[in-house]
Amino acid sequence: AVFSLLATVLWTGTIAAETVKVGLPVPLTGFVAESAKEMVEGFTLYLKQSKNKLGGLDVKLIVEDTEAKPEMALTKMRKLVENDKVHLVVGYLLAFEGYAVRDYAHTKKVATFFPIVAADDVTQRQRSPYIVRMIWTSSQLNHPWGKYAAKKLGYKRVVTVGQDYAFGWETVGGFQKTFEEAGGKVIQKLWVPLDAADHGPYVSQIKRNVDAVFALLVGSHIPKFIKTYQDFGLKEKIPLIGANILTDDDVLRHMSDEAVGILTSHSYAPTVDRPENRAFVKAYQAEYGGRTPSYYAEAMYTAALWLDRALAKSGKPKDPLALIAAVKQVDLTDAPRSALKLDNYNNPIETVYIRKVVRAKGGGLTNEVIDTIPNVSQFWNTDPKK
């Protein structure tokens, strides 16, 4: 047996590679299905480029549909861990999915990576050593945005419209905190249920004597809301600004003039001027029929890159804490969106881009970067303990 093993090393230069099993649960059906599809595309694009390896290990990828339901998110987590025996889970999209699986991941000691889930408390009050977020928190990008809206845009009175669940609450909360600290005032807050079929009743309630409307809708709600905003005659009267995904590229494909001019804050835009991003956009478009990637695709591509580097460091996919320690050690300077590093709470410090929707050369819509705010922490300028 020893001779056989030695012969393998001598002839091949290495011992046969171990396989790392990766669970990828995402809501492939429901109101965010298109975004979830791009998550899978981003991750599999990286695997194609790396010859289906992470850290030199062959990858068995198991994709599961959570159906945009918290109970199904937990069911699929159990299935991946207990039946499929995955070494790590990387996925989920909605904030309530992250909250739904948090306790299970912590108790069962599952190496869990959230490239999209933004639920604040996952890396704050309910943080776990077994969970790493690879993207911003719900409030994170909106802390600099609230201050920017008050100081640079000069807005004093704002109405907020948010989706009525964790992501919407935390997003609006992040914006309101810094907007009001900078001298502004949120005079009205409206909440749109996830099952709302008609956005007219909410748009009609917006008070007109304001400087701007700050909005955060999700998935298929976004183009419906923005079209309704225009149909009610508000587009030319009250500037519409928003949080990150309000004008992400997966929804811009379904909009036209009603979206032009909207400002948002985000960690990514396909127009970000970095060689790594230009290469990523080109590769994604070549692989997926010319479509421009949204942040969902970039975030999952970057997650795969991050895990690739970490597994190369640790070489221990079966040891969750060793893998997470390796992720913490990776200084990811070459991610498409920006340089990334984790804080002490397993959450990245991000660059925030202020973006404006414009007409692209080809006639479609795109987000043009008009300002950049570097090194934004999930805690902004507040002491983490406070």
Side-chain angles (χ1 to χ4, degrees):
V2 172
F3 176 80
S4 176
L5 178 61
L6 180 59
T8 300
V9 176
L10 290 173
W11 279 101
T12 67
T14 183
I15 298 174
E18 185 179 356
T19 297
V20 57
K21 293 183 180 180
V22 178
L24 203 168
V26 286
L28 290 167
T29 55
F31 64 98
V32 288
E34 187 170 350
S35 304
K37 177 186 174 186
E38 286 208 18
M39 290 176 66
V40 178
E41 290 174 347
F43 199 85
T44 54
L45 174 62
Y46 187 88
L47 289 181
K48 182 174 182 179
Q49 292 177 345
S50 67
K51 297 181 172 54
N52 200 50
K53 293 182 182 293
L54 293 176
L57 306 176
D58 291 329
V59 175
K60 181 178 181 181
L61 184 65
I62 304 170
V63 179
E64 292 289 344
D65 181 10
T66 66
E67 302 174 17
K69 300 174 182 176
E71 65 275 14
M72 189 58 70
L74 182 55
T75 295
K76 291 305 174 72
M77 174 69 102
R78 286 178 173 143
K79 185 259 184 189
L80 288 166
V81 173
E82 297 171 20
N83 294 356
D84 299 318
K85 310 295 183 184
V86 298
H87 298 113
L88 62 100
V89 172
V90 53
Y92 296 110
L93 188 158
L94 296 157
F96 59 63
E97 292 182 314
Y99 283 133
V101 303
R102 183 268 171 203
D103 288 351
Y104 181 89
H106 180 75
T107 302
K108 296 293 184 178
K109 302 179 180 180
V110 182
T112 304
F113 302 91
F114 290 151
I116 298 294
V117 171
D120 279 28
D121 273 352
V122 166
T123 52
Q124 292 179 18
R125 300 164 191 83
Q126 296 179 33
R127 65 186 182 277
S128 164
Y130 297 97
I131 296 175
V132 173
R133 195 200 316 273
M134 293 174 154
I135 200 72
W136 31 266
T137 70
S138 308
S139 60
Q140 186 170 348
L141 306 188
N142 298 292
H143 290 146
W145 192 206
K147 180 179 178 181
Y148 191 99
K151 295 296 187 182
K152 289 205 173 184
L153 301 181
Y155 297 150
K156 300 302 179 187
R157 292 162 54 84
V158 164
V159 171
T160 65
V161 182
Q163 206 82 61
D164 194 9
Y165 80 117
F167 181 48
W169 307 331
E170 293 171 357
T171 295
V172 170
F175 178 87
Q176 181 177 1
K177 181 179 188 295
T178 58
F179 181 68
E180 295 191 338
E181 286 174 350
K185 180 67 177 176
V186 172
I187 68 163
Q188 181 186 28
K189 291 197 281 190
L190 300 171
W191 302 104
V192 180
L194 285 169
D195 61 355
D198 180 9
H199 293 78
Y202 307 97
V203 173
S204 65
Q205 294 180 56
I206 293 173
K207 293 184 178 180
R208 305 305 200 253
N209 58 336
V210 293
D211 299 315
V213 171
F214 170 86
L216 184 279
L217 287 299
V218 297
S220 58
H221 287 273
I222 296 170
K224 294 176 184 177
F225 171 80
I226 293 177
K227 187 64 168 64
T228 302
Y229 193 85
Q230 181 188 54
D231 290 346
F232 272 68
L234 295 184
K235 184 178 188 297
E236 303 303 326
K237 296 178 180 178
I238 309 173
L240 181 61
I241 64 174
N244 40 71
I245 63 170
L246 188 73
T247 64
D248 212 35
D249 287 79
D250 60 322
V251 290
L252 280 183
R253 300 180 198 123
H254 306 291
M255 294 188 280
S256 186
D257 290 342
E258 67 271 20
V260 172
I262 295 176
L263 300 181
T264 55
S265 64
H266 210 322
S267 64
Y268 180 70
T271 55
V272 167
D273 189 18
R274 287 170 59 84
E276 298 88 354
N277 186 49
R278 290 193 292 272
F280 164 67
V281 172
K282 182 178 180 181
Y284 185 90
Q285 290 176 330
E287 185 70 18
Y288 300 113
R291 276 189 289 118
T292 300
S294 69
Y295 108 95
Y296 295 99
E298 188 278 334
M300 291 299 289
Y301 181 91
T302 294
L305 169 63
W306 215 330
L307 290 168
D308 189 10
R309 302 271 175 85
L311 282 164
K313 278 180 175 287
S314 76
K316 298 178 180 179
K318 296 179 180 179
D319 185 337
L321 290 182
L323 174 56
I324 289 172
V327 169
K328 292 179 180 180
Q329 292 168 14
V330 174
D331 191 1
L332 204 62
T333 60
D334 56 346
R337 65 182 181 265
S338 67
L340 300 168
K341 60 181 178 180
L342 291 180
D343 64 15
N344 293 330
Y345 297 81
N346 290 4
N347 191 81
I349 297 169
E350 300 261 5
T351 294
V352 174
Y353 301 103
I354 307 301
R355 315 177 310 168
K356 181 179 181 179
V357 177
V358 298
R359 282 285 175 192
K361 291 181 179 178
L365 300 178
T366 191
N367 286 290
E368 177 183 68
V369 175
I370 62 172
D371 216 337
T372 301
I373 306 168
N375 299 318
V376 176
S377 158
Q378 65 172 322
F379 300 106
W380 188 228
N381 57 7
T382 302
D383 177 81
K385 290 181 180 179
K386 182 178 180 180

